[in-house]
Amino acid sequence: MEHLEKVEKLKEKANVSYEDAKSALESCDWDILDALVKLESEGKINGNDTAAFSTDRSTSEEKPKSPQQLAESYQNYHEEQKKKDKGFWHSVKNGIKYLFKKGCDNKFIVRRHGQVIIDIPVLLLILLMIAFFWALLILMVVGLFFGFSYSFAGPELGRDDINNAMGKATSAAEALKTEIKEYDSSQTGSREENK
C-alpha cells in the first residue's frame, strides 16, 4: 500500500484530519497499527466517533467501534493476507507444478525413415539434458547423419515453426552427408585414374 493510501485509510477509519494522519504515520514509520495507537494516546481518536473497520465483508453488524478493536481488526487482516500470499515459496511451488504439467503434455519424438523410434515427455528430455548434456547433444547430432529426425508434439511445442527448425537441421545434415559422399566418390575416382 502506498503512503497516500495509508494516510487516506487512517484518516477515514480514525476520523482524524489529513495532517494528523500523515504526521502519525510518518512518526510510526508508516505502520497503520502503531499510528492508531499513537493517535489514541494523544487523545485525537474518540471511541464513539471512530469509523468502523472490519475484514469480514459478509456481515456489517459486527464492526469494531473502539480504536483497540480497529487495531486488532487490522492486525488480523494483515495476518490473513500473509497466509494467503505465502510469498516466494508459494510462487515457486506453482511454477514447478506448471512446468511439470507442461513437460508431461508435450512430447519429444525421434523418427527414423518416418517410423517413430522414441516418444518421450519433454520433461524427461530436459532431465536427460541436465544429466548428460554433452553426450546427448553429440548423440543427437550423430543421429542426424544416420537418418534420425527430431520433432515435438503437444499444445505448446507442437507448433510448425519449432518443428520446421528441427526439419531444417535434418535437411542440413542430409545435405552435408550427400556432399561428403560426392566428395569421397570423386576422390576415389581420381585415385583409381592415377594408378
Side-chain angles (χ1 to χ4, degrees):
M1 195 182 309
E2 292 183 25
H3 295 311
L4 181 60
E5 291 174 349
K6 286 183 178 182
V7 171
E8 288 293 329
K9 185 171 287 278
L10 182 62
K11 176 182 173 274
E12 178 185 314
K13 300 301 178 188
N15 198 17
V16 294
S17 69
Y18 183 85
E19 292 79 23
D20 288 341
K22 183 178 181 228
S23 75
L25 282 166
E26 285 175 343
S27 67
C28 294
D29 198 27
W30 297 97
D31 185 273
I32 292 178
L33 182 60
D34 290 342
L36 277 169
V37 172
K38 180 178 178 11
L39 288 170
E40 182 185 14
S41 67
E42 293 174 353
K44 294 183 179 178
I45 297 177
N46 184 351
N48 297 333
D49 295 340
T50 304
F53 176 81
S54 174
T55 57
D56 184 13
R57 295 180 180 158
S58 61
T59 61
S60 59
E61 299 167 5
E62 302 174 2
K63 294 182 180 177
K65 300 293 182 198
S66 72
Q68 290 86 4
Q69 289 174 323
L70 182 62
E72 289 172 4
S73 178
Y74 177 78
Q75 188 68 30
N76 290 341
Y77 172 77
H78 191 62
E79 288 173 10
E80 287 175 21
Q81 287 300 93
K82 281 185 180 178
K83 288 178 186 175
K84 286 181 186 176
D85 287 349
K86 305 262 193 226
F88 175 75
W89 294 112
H90 183 70
S91 299
V92 168
K93 182 180 87 173
N94 286 341
I96 290 170
K97 280 184 187 177
Y98 176 79
L99 290 175
F100 185 79
K101 182 180 181 329
K102 295 301 177 183
C104 291
D105 288 347
N106 294 285
K107 304 281 185 188
F108 177 71
I109 301 169
V110 178
R111 289 186 174 91
R112 183 161 191 231
H113 304 299
Q115 184 179 3
V116 175
I117 305 294
I118 298 173
D119 182 358
I120 60 172
V122 171
L123 181 64
L124 181 58
L125 175 68
I126 292 169
L127 293 174
L128 289 171
M129 290 295 276
I130 290 170
F132 309 105
F133 178 76
W134 290 110
L136 195 58
L137 183 66
I138 291 169
L139 188 64
M140 288 176 73
V141 170
V142 170
L144 287 172
F145 292 101
F146 286 98
F148 289 92
S149 64
Y150 311 110
S151 63
F152 290 100
E156 282 75 31
L157 297 177
R159 300 188 326 245
D160 289 337
D161 57 340
I162 294 174
N163 287 324
N164 286 342
M166 301 290 269
K168 287 179 183 177
T170 303
S171 299
E174 288 295 325
L176 184 60
K177 187 167 69 170
T178 304
E179 284 181 31
I180 291 171
K181 282 181 183 178
E182 288 173 1
Y183 177 77
D184 188 42
S185 62
S186 69
Q187 291 295 323
T188 305
S190 65
R191 278 190 219 145
E192 289 178 7
E193 288 176 8
N194 290 337
K195 287 184 180 180

